[in-house]
Amino acid sequence: MKNRSHLMATYAEPTVTFVSGSGTTLIDDQGKEYLDFLCGLAVTSLGHARPEVTSAIADQANTLSHVSNLFANELGPEVADLIDGLLTTATGTSGRVFLCNSGAEANECALKLARRVQPGKHAVITTLDSFHGRTLATLTATGQPAKHEPFQPLPEGFSYVPFGDLTAMKARLAIGDVAAVLVECIQAEGGVNVPEKGYLSGVEAACREAGALFMVDEVQAGLGRTGQWFSFQDEGLTPDVVTMAKALGNGFPVGACWAKADVADCFGPGDHGSTFGGQPLAMAAVKATLATMIDIDAPNAAASASAHLVSSLSDLDGIVAVRGRGLLLGAVLSAPVAGAVAASALKDGLIVNAVRPDVIRLTPPLTVSSEEIDEAVRRLGVILHETMGSTQS
Ligand code: PLP
């Protein structure tokens, strides 16, 4: 492994260096192959080095990478149309898109919209155990007090309620100062937590009653992963603002914040911006990614692979439940050994991660094959047997 001493130590020391990938497979610098059941934390949803996307990026790099937002380019509006098309179908309402570079930036845009939309109301409610990013505002929106501690003082105007507790949400909304609620429909980083049916529609209805925006963070769950284009569709919700990133460029760094037109229109020139947002190179990646997702019916691919993966995982000794939807899954273990299981899996050429002491997250590409699922589950079964055996002895 290369000397990493001049990188800021913001991540745990990695043990593996990857050098190439194709589909569900990654290869390390020793030539060892891995089954990637995490896909860059739900990023490479079409698999590594998907040809339609890589050739679009290469062609665009050879044509025009960047012109700045002082000028128009042809791809930004095309991508905005594509994203708005998906959201118009999902919500029944057309809107506008702000293009940026990451999930945190997409949420930052949502938070700034919330501040602008109704003068006099500025508070944003999020839920405990949520994750919305690492910039100062999105870290504050993230409902994890331990992550806040080292960075005080944080921006004002954020409140937290327990995920799934509609009464607490209504009580906080009733104070009357709330501009927006921001939620993940399935809390991904927080442990793949799925609320009870009716909770999210209750939150949306409470937002409408209180005159607050209902904003959904689809950064991890969106773009086909849960078996629908957006996870909010499961309860037929109609959010005012939707953020997305991870899978949007199949690995090319890009994010987007969509808002219904009347909400989006509270921004004018100078209110928000980003040097790289909406520039041709990233937009070529997004256009190719979305076109391929539409072509292969990515939500449907996720739903059918999910049925096979969930039933195979559920049969394994040591797994007591499988939660989540589509290919955003958390395997709940019968003991708090998720960290050890993920480490052994990596040694055995299977990439998953621990999101809770007893929960393993699996987010394979939406293109994962039945054979790859069978092989991953076989490896996991052996590891669980070994790990649970050794914890019991
Ligand atoms: N929102 C959710 C739900 C996420 O899972 C993440 C990242 O894991 C983010 C926001 C932040 O995205 P990024 O790391 O691209 O800034």
Side-chain angles (χ1 to χ4, degrees):
M1 185 169 298
K2 298 249 190 240
N3 181 341
R4 295 169 50 85
S5 60
H6 290 111
L7 286 170
M8 286 196 195
T10 52
Y11 306 103
E13 265 313 296
T15 55
V16 178
T17 302
F18 291 116
V19 293
S20 67
S22 173
T24 310
T25 304
L26 274 175
I27 298 178
D28 74 11
D29 56 357
Q30 309 298 306
K32 180 175 160 184
E33 285 194 10
Y34 297 75
L35 274 175
D36 187 1
F37 268 52
L38 205 53
C39 77
L41 299 181
V43 169
T44 50
S45 282
L46 294 173
H48 295 284
R50 177 84 190 192
E52 294 92 327
V53 181
T54 55
S55 59
I57 294 170
D59 289 349
Q60 191 61 42
N62 281 315
T63 308
L64 181 70
S65 294
H66 185 91
V67 290
S68 109
N69 286 306
L70 295 175
F71 308 100
N73 75 73
E74 290 182 335
L75 286 155
E78 271 187 60
V79 164
D81 284 354
L82 275 173
I83 293 173
D84 185 54
L86 293 173
L87 279 151
T88 302
T89 306
T91 65
T93 313
S94 177
R96 298 191 217 289
V97 180
F98 177 78
L99 295 160
C100 53
N101 311 285
S102 67
E105 249 194 284
N107 284 334
E108 194 77 34
C109 176
L111 295 170
K112 281 181 73 177
L113 278 171
R115 288 279 166 100
R116 272 304 288 272
V117 78
Q118 292 181 72
K121 286 186 174 182
H122 71 279
V124 174
I125 308 179
T126 64
T127 58
L128 291 171
D129 292 327
S130 60
F131 187 85
H132 299 295
R134 297 280 190 172
T135 63
L136 216 46
T138 58
L139 174 69
T140 312
T142 291
Q144 300 188 40
K147 287 190 165 58
H148 297 166
E149 236 15 80
F151 298 102
Q152 302 288 348
L154 295 171
E156 288 176 13
F158 290 85
S159 304
Y160 315 95
V161 294
F163 190 55
D165 185 341
L166 187 55
T167 308
M169 180 67 82
K170 284 182 174 167
R172 180 61 191 87
L173 278 164
I175 295 174
D177 60 343
V178 178
V181 169
L182 174 64
V183 284
E184 295 167 88
C185 296
I186 298 176
Q187 289 185 329
E189 299 300 309
V192 192
N193 306 319
V194 185
E196 274 183 19
K197 206 95 193 146
Y199 167 69
L200 292 163
S201 40
V203 172
E204 176 171 356
C207 284
R208 305 276 170 245
E209 199 174 319
L213 293 181
F214 178 56
M215 311 200 300
V216 173
D217 179 339
E218 293 275 352
V219 167
Q220 185 153 167
L223 300 169
R225 178 151 294 279
T226 61
Q228 312 237 34
W229 277 103
F230 299 99
S231 62
F232 68 74
Q233 290 177 272
D234 195 55
E235 270 196 46
L237 309 174
T238 58
D240 301 294
V241 176
V242 178
T243 58
M244 66 206 82
K246 293 188 184 284
L248 193 55
N250 204 51
F252 201 99
V254 63
C257 175
W258 173 92
K260 286 181 178 166
D262 56 332
V263 177
D265 286 351
C266 71
F267 272 174
D271 278 333
H272 201 43
S274 173
T275 297
F276 295 117
Q279 288 298 308
L281 193 54
M283 294 302 101
V286 178
K287 186 178 164 187
T289 300
L290 291 179
T292 310
M293 284 182 164
I294 291 166
D295 204 37
I296 66 165
D297 193 354
N300 195 36
S304 52
S306 173
H308 182 40
L309 180 53
V310 171
S311 79
S312 309
L313 287 170
S314 307
D315 286 343
L316 291 183
D317 284 343
I319 293 182
V320 292
V322 180
R323 61 193 191 208
R325 265 204 318 274
L327 293 177
L328 173 51
L329 297 174
V332 185
L333 310 182
S334 56
V337 291
V341 169
S344 298
L346 188 63
K347 282 200 190 114
D348 283 3
L350 172 64
I351 303 171
V352 294
N353 85 328
V355 279
R356 289 270 171 201
D358 62 342
V359 181
I360 293 283
R361 171 174 43 183
L362 298 102
T363 52
L366 313 188
T367 52
V368 67
S369 70
S370 290
E371 295 73 31
E372 288 165 338
I373 290 175
D374 291 340
E375 179 55 19
V377 172
R378 188 195 65 74
R379 289 184 203 177
L380 198 56
V382 174
I383 292 158
L384 284 169
H385 183 71
E386 287 168 2
T387 314
M388 300 291 184
S390 66
T391 56
Q392 276 155 22
S393 59

